[in-house]
Amino acid sequence: MVKLLVAMGALAALGGVATAQGPVDDVVKISVNWSAGRNPLKTTPTLQVVVNPLLRRGASIHDVAFANLKGLGAEYVRYVQWHPYPRLAVAELEAPTKDKTSWDFSLIDPMTIDFLDATEGHERILNFSTIPAWMYNAKKTVDVPADPDRVTWDYTQGKDLRDPSCKQLADYYARLVSWYTQGGFTDELGVRHESGNHYKIPYWEVFNEIDVEHQPTPAQYTASYDAVVGSLHAIDPAMKFVGLALAFPERNPEMMWYFLDHRNHKLGIPLDMISYHFYGSPTREQTLEDWQYSFFDQADKFLVAVRYIEDIRRRLSPDTRTTLDEVGSILPTDWHPDTPYDPGPPIPAMYWNASAALYAYVYLETAKMGIDVVGESQLVGFPSQFPSVTMLDWTTGAPNARFEVLRLLHDHLRPGATLVETKLIPKDVDALAFEDGGGRHLLLVNKRNRVLKTELPEEFDGGTRWVVDADHSTAKPEALRGRGLPLAAFSVTVVDARSPH
């Protein structure tokens, strides 16, 4: 026994030495069963656009930001008028009196119209998530900065609406939507306000991150959803609706169960789509070497929640679709509300590739589940919000790796493709095979901050690769020679087979 223990100790010591020298990666062998049963690829990659001073006309990157958005041509882009900028998000900042109303779109219209013009001809989701503060019973007085570009984090006060019937709330959204779709509206005093706008809004999302903002109960949220949807559906019967937009879906199973049960809604209220969010976030003590594990471990936990939610949805409302309309990562150094315009510590260049790989990984795994839409967050994330979520450089407007990976997925994974059985040990690399009219393809994601070696199926020898990594800021076609394909750190790659079949 003593000899055995000594031998085991020696082996443990040797193992410690091997680990200290760094991991030794075997070649990841990938095989595809092209003759197996197929599922259609139904998952659309997209992004969200959040109201931000840098997206206002005249801002330094306004033109290039909207040009990038229009050039991408994505479907289901989500537009959110968020509460940190009340003057850019709320059309009626003061409660109406018997003598006057405060309706004012002068600051809201330019950015909103630029978004609508940039996404014209595509499905899009609008979300004026910020409810006027005067509609709530709140102990704290809300002060709105005179400067529309000045951030405030205290606008969403109170949990209970002053009008529990939700009519006041529904009327506000009916007038707001009419401003953009019906040419104008009549206000509370009977005064007509003309806009001349006749845009189409295919989808309207009812509020944002309700588990953080105002925190209604499941019954309260469902009642407000029904009131708003009923009012907007009367204006445009073709409009569809998105509900929930939960920040922490894994913490709110009761909300899912209650909302997706049609018995809890008024007759005729549609449940077209639900939404919820995911952000990977490391601790302040962690470095880039740690992030590669934190991000993807957290993503795996989120994917468990997605499977659970999908089971609830299929049981209660199988015709309801799902959009994961905020997927990304946030560094802990972003949050400094006392100095909101300080960008904080420099963000390592490799972070953008790590975050891009995280989004691609969530897309890849949820595509296997048949999730309908996966939206990356967000087009511009600085100043004053979260710099690490941005997809464009906030000084130049140039796309970073997060935008370029979205472009790669958008350009190569299109509706009409079919998903094919892919086999590998998905530890550090993940893969998804798909086939379309252009041939056979593989999506590959390197989850680690080091080069990993892969061996592709024979049909990819002589094919083409498209990659975004630290050395490839944009994806361009490159010829493959041989089946061995090294994947750079945090790379996202699409590989085309050498022939269509």
Side-chain angles (χ1 to χ4, degrees):
M1 178 63 69
V2 170
K3 290 180 179 179
L4 177 61
L5 291 173
V6 170
M8 291 176 65
L11 287 172
L14 288 173
V17 171
T19 302
Q21 291 175 342
V24 178
D25 294 306
D26 295 327
V27 174
V28 178
K29 295 183 179 181
I30 302 169
S31 62
V32 180
N33 184 0
W34 299 105
S35 61
R38 306 292 184 88
N39 289 316
L41 173 64
K42 57 181 290 189
T43 306
T44 301
T46 189
L47 76 158
Q48 74 158 345
V49 179
V50 179
V51 164
N52 187 290
L54 286 177
L55 294 178
R56 295 186 68 193
R57 292 176 185 173
S60 59
I61 68 168
H62 168 276
D63 293 353
V64 68
F66 280 104
N68 277 312
L69 177 64
K70 184 175 183 177
L72 181 65
E75 303 294 332
Y76 300 106
V77 179
R78 180 188 191 230
Y79 180 67
V80 184
Q81 299 277 5
W82 198 34
H83 66 81
Y85 307 99
R87 294 190 184 277
L88 302 178
V90 180
E92 192 177 23
L93 283 168
E94 298 176 7
T97 68
K98 62 182 181 65
D99 300 315
K100 66 176 183 177
T101 65
S102 62
W103 287 98
D104 185 358
F105 289 86
S106 61
L107 295 174
I108 298 172
D109 268 1
M111 195 185 309
T112 302
I113 289 172
D114 289 345
F115 170 82
L116 292 169
D117 288 343
T119 56
E120 185 64 31
H122 300 279
E123 298 279 10
R124 53 199 177 198
I125 301 172
L126 264 66
N127 184 343
F128 278 67
S129 64
T130 309
I131 301 168
W134 52 266
M135 290 190 182
Y136 278 89
N137 292 310
K139 297 179 181 179
K140 184 177 179 180
T141 302
V142 175
D143 294 320
V144 177
D147 181 356
D149 293 347
R150 185 173 179 81
V151 70
T152 177
W153 295 103
D154 297 327
Y155 188 78
T156 53
Q157 300 292 324
K159 293 187 177 182
D160 298 315
L161 289 166
R162 294 181 184 274
D163 173 20
S165 74
C166 300
K167 184 179 185 306
Q168 187 179 66
L169 178 69
D171 288 347
Y172 170 79
Y173 280 101
R175 292 186 174 104
L176 194 157
V177 168
S178 295
W179 177 261
Y180 289 107
T181 66
Q182 306 300 311
F185 63 88
T186 301
D187 69 17
E188 295 91 334
L189 302 182
V191 178
R192 178 70 182 174
H193 298 255
E194 297 289 346
S195 68
N197 295 321
H198 293 276
Y199 288 97
K200 289 293 183 182
I201 301 177
Y203 285 83
W204 187 272
E205 189 174 37
V206 182
F207 315 143
N208 176 64
E209 297 194 342
I210 56 174
D211 44 347
V212 177
E213 301 173 19
H214 298 299
Q215 301 175 338
T217 65
Q220 286 174 325
Y221 175 72
T222 300
S224 62
Y225 173 92
D226 285 6
V228 171
V229 169
S231 181
L232 301 190
H233 210 242
I235 295 171
D236 182 1
M239 185 181 288
K240 296 182 179 181
F241 301 93
V242 185
L244 297 180
L246 294 175
F248 303 104
E250 71 280 2
R251 302 179 189 176
N252 291 273
E254 183 185 1
M255 185 70 79
M256 291 288 182
W257 279 105
Y258 191 94
F259 181 79
L260 284 169
D261 190 336
H262 288 260
R263 295 173 297 181
N264 295 323
H265 292 267
K266 292 181 179 178
L267 185 65
I269 295 296
L271 302 182
D272 297 306
M273 191 180 289
I274 58 169
S275 59
Y276 49 97
H277 305 157
F278 164 72
Y279 290 95
S281 187
T283 66
R284 286 183 176 271
E285 296 77 17
Q286 292 179 330
T287 66
L288 179 62
E289 286 306 302
D290 303 311
W291 298 349
Q292 63 182 313
Y293 302 106
S294 293
F295 282 163
F296 293 96
D297 288 350
Q298 291 172 23
D300 285 336
K301 292 179 181 178
F302 171 69
L303 293 170
V304 171
V306 174
R307 293 184 183 94
Y308 175 59
I309 294 167
E310 280 295 282
D311 183 64
I312 297 174
R313 183 194 61 78
R314 282 191 293 266
R315 289 170 182 264
L316 294 175
S317 190
D319 293 332
T320 300
R321 303 170 73 211
T322 298
T323 171
L324 312 180
D325 53 15
E326 289 188 35
V327 173
S329 58
I330 299 177
L331 293 179
T333 49
D334 280 7
W335 182 242
H336 37 80
D338 295 333
T339 55
Y341 298 95
D342 180 356
I347 298 174
M350 189 59 80
Y351 163 79
W352 305 111
N353 294 94
S355 182
L358 177 66
Y359 169 73
Y361 175 66
V362 172
Y363 172 87
L364 187 159
E365 288 298 323
T366 54
K368 295 177 184 178
M369 302 182 210
I371 296 298
D372 297 282
V373 182
V374 180
E376 193 171 12
S377 175
Q378 64 191 55
L379 186 67
V380 178
F382 185 80
S384 69
Q385 295 178 20
F386 300 93
S388 65
V389 304
T390 194
M391 299 170 68
L392 303 179
D393 186 298
W394 56 78
T395 59
T396 67
N400 61 32
R402 303 186 71 240
F403 189 94
E404 292 301 338
V405 162
L406 173 60
R407 193 201 307 270
L408 178 69
L409 300 181
H410 172 269
D411 289 350
H412 290 266
L413 290 103
R414 296 181 172 277
T418 55
L419 302 181
V420 188
E421 181 182 335
T422 314
K423 294 183 179 180
L424 76 164
I425 300 175
K427 179 182 178 183
D428 297 329
V429 174
D430 205 2
L432 180 70
F434 60 101
E435 187 170 16
D436 56 24
R440 294 171 173 177
H441 317 275
L442 272 174
L443 170 63
L444 304 167
V445 179
N446 182 353
K447 298 156 60 178
R448 298 294 173 243
N449 187 28
R450 60 183 183 273
V451 176
L452 297 173
K453 298 177 182 179
T454 64
E455 182 180 303
L456 305 182
E458 180 181 357
E459 57 269 23
F460 289 94
D461 183 1
T464 306
R465 79 162 182 168
W466 310 70
V467 60
V468 176
D469 59 27
D471 295 324
H472 298 78
S473 58
T474 59
K476 298 178 180 179
E478 298 178 353
L480 291 178
R481 292 178 177 84
R483 297 169 59 185
L485 178 63
L487 302 179
F490 298 129
S491 61
V492 179
T493 306
V494 172
V495 185
D496 301 336
R498 62 177 175 267
S499 61
H501 299 290

